[in-house]
Amino acid sequence: MPTSSAVPMQVGTLLRLVRGLPYFQDWSVDEIKAIAPFCIHIVTVVPTRLFQLQGLEPFSYFLLKGQVELESAAGEVRLIRADELDAGFPIARARPSQYNVMASSGVELLRIETSKLRSHQARSVLARLSGSAAGNGFVAEPVAESGEESV
């Protein structure tokens, strides 16, 4: 018996799902469309382990419905429910994983290849750095070609 069903995301469905997640607040429609082939909608049928402590899984999970349980190496347990702010961000995103993460049955998740999220983060940082330089009075001036006098 399968532990979950996994369905590749259609662009329209992905757009609808991520609009409610704070993590995607600054993403354009084109950026979201670009990651669609790397996204899967998962619905767990039985309790399912998403991450193992010290695991190196290459995916990020966003909680859409239900709850997940995070257990640290010290045995501390934390529940995250879909209606909490933390659910709008990747669950236990550090690698190696600092938690065992279990999803109960009936949980809906969005799974995205982490490398695609990191690519967006890198572009965003570069754009912010470029924008902050321009916003601080930086004016790009043309460079004088050799042999010409600058006035």
Side-chain angles (χ1 to χ4, degrees):
M1 179 168 116
T3 60
S4 64
S5 65
V7 179
M9 299 294 292
Q10 298 296 320
V11 172
T13 302
L14 181 60
L15 287 168
R16 182 180 52 80
L17 291 175
V18 301
R19 284 297 170 218
L21 300 173
Y23 183 87
F24 295 97
Q25 184 176 3
D26 66 339
W27 287 52
S28 70
V29 171
D30 288 338
E31 289 170 323
I32 293 169
K33 286 179 180 178
I35 65 166
F38 309 99
C39 299
I40 293 181
H41 181 237
I42 296 173
V43 178
T44 60
V45 177
V46 298
T48 305
R49 181 183 307 274
L50 301 178
F51 298 114
Q52 184 170 346
L53 185 64
Q54 299 300 311
L56 297 171
E57 293 83 358
F59 303 107
S60 292
Y61 291 87
F62 293 85
L63 182 59
L64 303 173
K65 180 181 175 190
Q67 70 180 25
V68 294
E69 178 182 284
L70 288 74
E71 182 180 4
S72 70
E76 297 168 344
V77 174
R78 176 172 180 229
L79 293 177
I80 297 178
R81 290 183 296 279
D83 61 352
E84 295 176 2
L85 180 61
D86 286 346
F89 297 90
I91 300 166
R93 66 179 167 198
R95 295 294 174 271
S97 178
Q98 304 300 302
Y99 301 95
N100 282 313
V101 179
M102 292 291 294
S104 55
S105 61
V107 168
E108 289 187 37
L109 300 148
L110 173 60
R111 186 185 86 182
I112 304 173
E113 287 185 27
T114 301
S115 63
K116 304 309 171 192
L117 297 178
R118 288 191 180 137
S119 294
H120 177 269
Q121 289 171 335
R123 286 189 307 274
S124 293
V125 167
L126 288 174
R128 280 195 303 271
L129 290 174
S130 298
S132 66
N136 288 329
F138 175 80
V139 178
E141 294 288 340
V143 177
E145 296 192 21
S146 60
E148 292 184 16
E149 274 186 45
S150 60
V151 190

